[in-house]
Amino acid sequence: MDHPTLHHLNAPQRQAVTTLDGPLMVLAGAGSGKTRVLTRRLAWIIQQQQASPEEVLAVTFTNKAAKEMRNRVQALLGLDAPAQAHRFWIGTFHGMSARMLRQYADRLGFERDFTILDSSDQERLFKRLCEELGFADAYWTPKRLTHTIGRWKDDGIRPQDLTDREIRKAWERARIQQMYERYQQALLQSNAMDFGDLLLHCLQLWQQEPAILAAFQQRFRYLLVDEYQDTNHVQYRWICALSGLHQNLCVVGDDDQSIYSWRGARIENILKFEEDFPQTKIIRLEQNYRSSGNILKAASGLINHNKGRMEKQLWTEDAQGDAIHFYQAENDEDEARFVASEILTLCPAGDYQQAAILVRTARQTRSLEEGLMRAGIPYQVVGGLRFLDRAEVRDALAYLRVVASNRDDVAFERVINLPKRGIGPGALQSLREIASQERCSLLHAARFAVESNTMKGAAAKGLAAFIQLIEHARSMLADDITPAEMLTKLLALSGYRDYVRDLEKGNDRIDNLDELRNALARTESLQLFLEEVALATDLQDGGPVANRVVISTLHAAKGLEFPWVFLVGVEEDVMPHKLALTEQPEIGLEEERRLAYVGMTRAKQRLYLTMARRRWLFNKPVMPIKSRFLKELPQEILEDRGFRVSSRRGATGSLAGLPGGSLHHQKVRFPLR
């Protein structure tokens, strides 16, 4: 077939694009062109008139991946992006669920303009509920409640479903069940859902309204799922429900890159796909277009030690390339010096963005950052504080959410006294009591308190000013002032912009507010903007930037690629990490091996593996041993760069004299970026 959509595809890729009927699993090895296959398959379905854009649902895990997929498909089809974007159902699991729930949220007791809370909002809500219920527990903190209940929702566990499998002690289970139930009530009262609710509420809606599920099943003739190995239990149930009628389900993934069990991903979803869909056809994409032959040989040699995997063997038409470089450092300071020295050699022109340093845990970055700074090498840490997590950005978004919704109690509590308006904890508690008695939101309670003179003094004055501010902002939108212009005036009139300017790094904070305004100016409506922001789980600062070395954890590096990769700390208890081997050692070990495999396959031309003979951890010296993973690599392609004993001591952090002799260790402190 000489169709443009099939150009530059190898035989298995073509087969994956053109096999349209029935369940299909595409096992896509690292660097094998899975995104190309996904996008061309979607375009092919439409070009062959098997379905219209509205009848194909494609889901993935990040907004970045969804946007790239959408843009590529529209380019392949020659469609005008702005005019046609709404026709496609391409997005994240949470984004597509929110889109469905916007149509039917009223069937579950919500309004269709419900708010979506992130983990920070959830923690604030749990903190308030703990105060209300007199719930004080050193273990069950708001942060732990947020994380644990989120994991339960990923597993489809509602308050009434808790058993001794989740919490053994009956009395403790009863307390947490009460908190979970109260949390869900508070969400409903605030017309809000958290991330876990988006999929769970879809399943609830379909269970109690079968006709709605049937309508979605009829609509979506084809379903495509990216990164299937990362799906959790609720996502699995969501996929099975939607594909139940036509059975034209295509999942693309790689069991060897399943590294997110800690956030609910279940590798068995991909390993048992054939059992769930007996008519499944499997197509393996094994030709790698990223890495050299020796890098693939090393990575394959490692991952072949896993028992719980589906057989495949990556290969490349490219040259074998360099051997795998192994360096055993004197200590972590020497390890950092070696990495910096190699980067300077590899990047004489200063194109540092071609190099990446990958670590198992974030705490490993200290000595590496210091080493790069000493060498004058610019760097960035991927996965740092997100732009959307900065306090001033979150405050401004809370103001916008109160303008957009009468029922967003979490946002209301965040900004009602920011900057100070004389509304202290006592006044806020009074509002909560009014809201409880009147069965209304805090904003309505504030109006009631002002109109009935329930609140006195500075609190009454502050509430009246806040209500007037919000109503003025809403009137501006009604007068066709753009949301971006409204935000500028709102932050000025509220006094918040002046308040931020007087804080530490005030100018930087003002710049962040201006950047938020610029983002708001590029969207169609305030409601759409707030939903995009709420679902922006992957908009992290620290994406690769020109002329900076990337330092990243292995988990955050998935999906990235670099000519030169340094895999640092290949030692027992670090890689594999000791905590991963505690509860279920064999399962944990296989995931750790997959994690190392992911790190190795980020490299295109040259791969370095390093370890330290001595390392300073937790304020004490340790003497690591080689990771078992090093022994599992094909030894003939390892180039041992040797062990170098530094003549420098003290300032280098040398741990000379271990074991025996005197210990001299001087820490050099640097500000971390």
Side-chain angles (χ1 to χ4, degrees):
M1 287 179 278
D2 192 27
H3 193 283
T5 299
L6 304 180
H7 286 176
H8 308 297
L9 298 179
N10 61 37
Q13 288 175 335
R14 282 193 173 210
Q15 187 181 8
V17 168
T18 57
T19 301
L20 300 184
D21 296 328
L24 172 68
M25 179 162 65
V26 181
L27 279 177
S32 62
K34 74 174 180 65
T35 303
R36 172 181 290 188
V37 167
L38 266 172
T39 53
R40 297 200 181 199
R41 176 182 172 83
L42 203 160
W44 184 257
I45 289 170
I46 296 170
Q47 289 168 337
Q48 298 303 303
Q49 299 182 348
Q50 298 297 305
S52 66
E54 297 88 348
E55 296 174 324
V56 183
L57 175 63
V59 288
T60 186
F61 281 85
T62 69
N63 295 297
K64 179 181 178 182
K67 182 178 180 181
E68 181 179 0
M69 193 187 307
R70 188 183 304 109
N71 290 342
R72 286 199 195 186
V73 169
Q74 290 178 167
L76 286 167
L77 297 175
L79 299 177
D80 176 58
Q84 301 291 336
H86 70 281
R87 299 184 62 195
F88 289 91
W89 285 74
I90 302 175
T92 64
F93 281 96
H94 297 98
M96 294 298 94
S97 296
R99 184 172 174 180
M100 294 175 186
L101 288 170
R102 293 291 179 200
Q103 301 178 42
Y104 300 105
D106 56 312
R107 308 291 181 93
L108 300 175
F110 294 87
E111 295 176 13
R112 296 185 182 184
D113 63 345
F114 58 83
T115 300
I116 302 171
L117 304 188
D118 63 15
S119 58
S120 178
D121 296 324
Q122 291 173 259
E123 283 187 42
R124 290 179 67 91
L125 180 52
F126 273 120
K127 183 178 180 181
R128 193 245 293 177
L129 294 178
C130 286
E131 294 172 356
E132 287 183 3
L133 297 175
F135 184 95
D137 192 302
Y139 180 80
W140 289 103
T141 61
K143 187 178 186 70
R144 187 177 296 277
L145 286 166
T146 297
H147 172 75
T148 303
I149 290 178
R151 284 294 303 273
W152 288 340
K153 288 184 178 182
D154 289 342
D155 286 335
I157 299 171
R158 298 179 180 277
Q160 64 271 21
D161 302 323
L162 290 179
T163 66
D164 59 6
R165 179 181 175 183
E166 286 75 45
I167 303 177
R168 288 183 179 275
K169 298 176 181 177
W171 64 268
E172 184 180 20
R173 186 166 65 251
R175 291 173 67 233
I176 302 305
Q177 186 173 24
Q178 179 191 24
M179 175 60 73
Y180 191 174
E181 290 173 344
R182 181 67 189 91
Y183 171 68
Q184 291 303 114
Q185 293 168 3
L187 288 175
L188 181 59
Q189 181 180 337
S190 298
N191 193 38
M193 301 181 191
D194 62 27
F195 265 55
D197 286 329
L198 292 174
L199 277 81
L200 209 50
H201 283 335
C202 272
L203 293 177
Q204 179 186 346
L205 173 68
W206 298 338
Q207 185 176 16
Q208 68 185 45
E209 302 268 4
I212 295 176
L213 173 59
F216 279 122
Q217 289 176 331
Q218 185 67 41
R219 163 181 277 191
F220 298 125
R221 300 179 60 82
Y222 289 87
L223 180 59
L224 285 73
V225 183
D226 189 16
E227 305 285 10
Y228 188 67
Q229 77 282 348
D230 293 335
T231 52
N232 60 38
H233 180 61
V234 166
Q235 289 164 340
Y236 163 80
R237 289 172 55 194
W238 189 91
I239 291 165
C240 290
L242 285 176
S243 61
L245 177 62
H246 298 293
Q247 293 279 301
N248 293 326
L249 170 63
C250 172
V251 301
V252 181
D254 182 5
D255 53 308
D256 290 336
Q257 298 188 71
S258 179
I259 60 174
Y260 296 118
S261 66
W262 51 275
R263 70 181 190 193
R266 294 190 176 187
I267 191 173
E268 57 265 30
N269 289 351
I270 192 169
L271 295 180
K272 296 181 179 179
F273 186 79
E274 287 179 278
E275 297 178 19
D276 297 327
F277 298 89
Q279 304 302 315
T280 294
K281 179 176 288 188
I282 298 178
I283 299 174
R284 288 172 167 80
L285 305 184
E286 298 173 303
Q287 184 175 358
N288 178 279
Y289 294 93
R290 177 190 299 156
S291 305
S292 67
N294 278 332
I295 292 173
L296 293 182
K297 187 175 181 180
S300 297
L302 175 67
I303 203 64
N304 284 339
H305 284 78
N306 272 6
K307 298 176 183 178
R309 64 184 296 262
M310 304 182 73
E311 192 61 37
K312 60 183 167 302
Q313 194 69 32
L314 296 184
W315 61 277
T316 181
E317 292 181 343
D318 293 341
Q320 289 300 100
D322 288 356
I324 309 304
H325 299 266
F326 172 62
Y327 180 70
Q328 187 175 191
E330 177 187 0
N331 52 43
D332 46 359
E333 307 283 346
D334 177 38
E335 183 180 54
R337 282 199 307 274
F338 171 77
V339 171
S341 174
E342 289 295 307
I343 290 175
L344 288 174
T345 301
L346 291 167
C347 307
D351 48 350
Y352 297 115
Q353 75 275 8
Q354 298 196 69
I357 305 171
L358 306 184
V359 296
R360 175 61 181 85
T361 64
R363 64 168 53 98
Q364 293 172 253
T365 67
R366 181 196 61 83
S367 60
L368 294 165
E369 292 187 64
E370 291 177 3
L372 293 178
M373 282 189 281
R374 287 192 188 103
I377 298 173
Y379 69 91
Q380 63 174 142
V381 179
V382 169
L385 183 66
R386 298 191 314 156
F387 172 76
L388 295 175
D389 285 337
R390 287 170 164 80
E392 62 276 5
V393 175
R394 297 191 61 79
D395 293 341
L397 288 171
Y399 268 110
L400 290 175
R401 284 164 48 186
V402 175
V403 171
S405 171
N406 280 316
R407 292 174 57 182
D408 195 331
D409 288 350
V410 176
F412 178 92
E413 289 201 21
R414 185 180 184 99
V415 297
I416 184 59
N417 202 39
L418 190 67
K420 292 188 181 301
R421 298 186 178 88
I423 306 168
L428 187 55
Q429 182 57 33
S430 296
L431 288 180
R432 290 174 185 152
E433 292 171 0
I434 293 172
S436 177
Q437 294 168 3
E438 300 295 326
R439 296 182 179 275
C440 65
S441 69
L442 290 176
L443 184 60
H444 283 304
R447 288 196 180 98
F448 178 86
V450 171
E451 292 169 1
S452 63
N453 293 320
T454 304
M455 204 74 70
K456 304 294 183 183
K461 184 177 179 181
L463 282 179
F466 183 78
I467 293 169
Q468 184 179 12
L469 175 72
I470 298 304
E471 291 177 347
H472 180 57
R474 290 174 177 175
S475 68
M476 284 190 278
L477 291 178
D479 291 338
D480 289 334
I481 290 179
T482 67
E485 292 172 325
M486 181 273 291
L487 176 63
T488 299
K489 295 181 179 181
L490 174 63
L491 295 181
L493 291 171
S494 67
Y496 183 78
R497 191 175 179 90
D498 291 336
Y499 161 78
V500 164
R501 184 180 286 108
D502 292 336
L503 296 175
E504 183 181 358
K505 297 183 179 178
N507 289 335
D508 291 342
R509 295 172 187 267
I510 292 295
D511 288 343
N512 289 332
L513 292 176
D514 290 341
E515 181 56 35
L516 180 67
R517 181 199 181 282
N518 293 339
L520 182 55
R522 295 191 293 267
T523 59
E524 299 175 17
S525 69
L526 176 58
Q527 197 67 49
L528 179 62
F529 175 74
L530 290 174
E531 178 162 316
E532 289 175 346
V533 166
L535 295 171
T537 57
D538 58 310
L539 292 181
Q540 297 214 9
D541 285 351
V545 174
N547 298 326
R548 290 180 183 270
V549 171
V550 165
I551 302 177
S552 173
T553 64
L554 289 167
H555 286 103
K558 188 169 179 288
L560 303 178
E561 59 181 49
F562 304 89
W564 307 302
V565 167
F566 295 82
L567 198 52
V568 173
V570 190
E571 304 154 5
E572 285 295 304
D573 294 340
V574 176
M575 193 185 308
H577 198 283
K578 63 180 179 180
L579 294 181
L581 308 181
T582 52
E583 294 185 6
Q584 297 177 297
E586 186 173 344
I587 293 175
L589 177 61
E590 294 214 344
E591 178 149 339
E592 288 293 296
R593 193 176 280 117
R594 292 194 294 270
L595 192 56
Y597 171 84
V598 166
M600 295 171 71
T601 54
R602 300 310 94 197
K604 298 166 70 175
Q605 299 172 18
R606 185 177 289 199
L607 173 64
Y608 291 82
L609 308 175
T610 72
M611 67 165 291
R613 293 182 64 192
R614 301 179 178 92
R615 196 178 290 280
W616 194 267
L617 283 177
F618 308 112
N619 293 319
K620 65 179 182 180
V622 297
M623 298 185 68
I625 62 174
K626 285 184 180 180
S627 168
R628 68 191 77 185
F629 295 160
L630 288 169
K631 303 172 185 176
E632 296 174 354
L633 301 178
Q635 299 302 299
E636 69 274 11
I637 61 172
L638 278 181
E639 178 183 317
D640 195 333
R641 297 291 294 270
F643 167 63
R644 179 182 67 196
V645 178
S646 172
S647 60
R648 298 179 60 201
R649 298 172 66 171
T652 68
S654 172
L655 303 185
L658 274 179
S662 61
L663 171 64
H664 180 52
H665 179 80
Q666 177 182 343
K667 286 188 174 181
V668 182
R669 294 290 185 186
F670 286 83
L672 302 186
R673 302 183 192 179

